[in-house]
């Protein structure tokens, strides 16, 4: 799979225990053989934020060659802004699939820009 095909949170969903799907960007096509973490369905909003933040740090560290520790603050910004901007249906879609749908992805990309993080290719 290429970075282009991995959703923002999305390519790293597999690396971040299904939270990789949390990073905005990439294709909206469903991942073949990808099964979201069943814990997403009942996770609290703060747990979802933590998963998104972790996925962000993993993806951004790969993109920028920075340490994950140095990305905690900007990825915290990204996770907070993204989850605050999602409506109930977008959160439920994320819980069901493990990645952001088209409308949520647009909001996640805006949060990446606002928090001065690099967009995935």
């Amino acid at each position: 799979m290429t970075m282009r095909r991995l959703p923002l949170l999305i390519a790293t969903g597999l690396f971040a225990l299904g939270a990789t799907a949390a990073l905005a960007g990439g294709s909206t096509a469903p991942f073949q053989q990808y099964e979201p973490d069943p814990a997403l369905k009942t996770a609290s909003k703060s747990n979802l934020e933590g998963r998104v933040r972790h996925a962000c740090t993993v993806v951004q560290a790969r993109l920028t060659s920075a340490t994950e520790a140095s990305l905690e603050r900007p990825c915290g910004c990204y996770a907070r802004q993204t989850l605050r901007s999602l409506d109930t249906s977008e959160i439920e879609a994320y819980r069901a699939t493990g990645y952001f749908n088209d409308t949520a992805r647009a909001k996640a990309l805006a949060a990446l820009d606002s928090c001065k993080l690099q967009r995935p290719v």
Side-chain angles (χ1 to χ4, degrees), residues 75-95:
C75 284
C77 168
Y78 164 75
R80 279 188 304 279
Q81 282 192 21
T82 299
L83 287 174
R84 280 190 210 143
S85 69
L86 300 182
D87 64 31
T88 304
S89 67
E90 291 163 334
I91 290 173
E92 290 310 310
Y94 173 65
R95 288 178 183 279

Side-chain angles (χ1 to χ4, degrees), residues 30-53:
F31 296 109
Q32 294 179 350
Q33 299 176 352
Y34 171 73
E35 294 192 27
D37 182 353
L40 283 174
K41 294 182 193 255
T42 58
S44 67
K45 199 160 181 182
S46 65
N47 183 272
L48 294 177
E49 184 177 309
R51 287 169 174 260
V52 170
R53 183 178 51 253

Side-chain angles (χ1 to χ4, degrees), residues 4-106:
R4 187 168 287 153
R5 293 194 55 181
L6 298 176
L8 175 204
L9 311 198
I10 313 183
T12 319
L14 300 173
F15 294 104
L17 301 174
T20 294
L23 201 55
S27 169
T28 60
F31 296 109
Q32 294 179 350
Q33 299 176 352
Y34 171 73
E35 294 192 27
D37 182 353
L40 283 174
K41 294 182 193 255
T42 58
S44 67
K45 199 160 181 182
S46 65
N47 183 272
L48 294 177
E49 184 177 309
R51 287 169 174 260
V52 170
R53 183 178 51 253
H54 178 71
C56 173
T57 60
V58 171
V59 170
Q60 290 294 316
R62 283 184 159 191
L63 291 173
T64 64
S65 299
T67 65
E68 289 184 25
S70 70
L71 296 163
E72 282 296 320
R73 176 172 266 163
C75 284
C77 168
Y78 164 75
R80 279 188 304 279
Q81 282 192 21
T82 299
L83 287 174
R84 280 190 210 143
S85 69
L86 300 182
D87 64 31
T88 304
S89 67
E90 291 163 334
I91 290 173
E92 290 310 310
Y94 173 65
R95 288 178 183 279
T97 63
Y99 57 90
F100 293 141
N101 63 20
D102 290 340
T103 59
R105 184 172 295 108

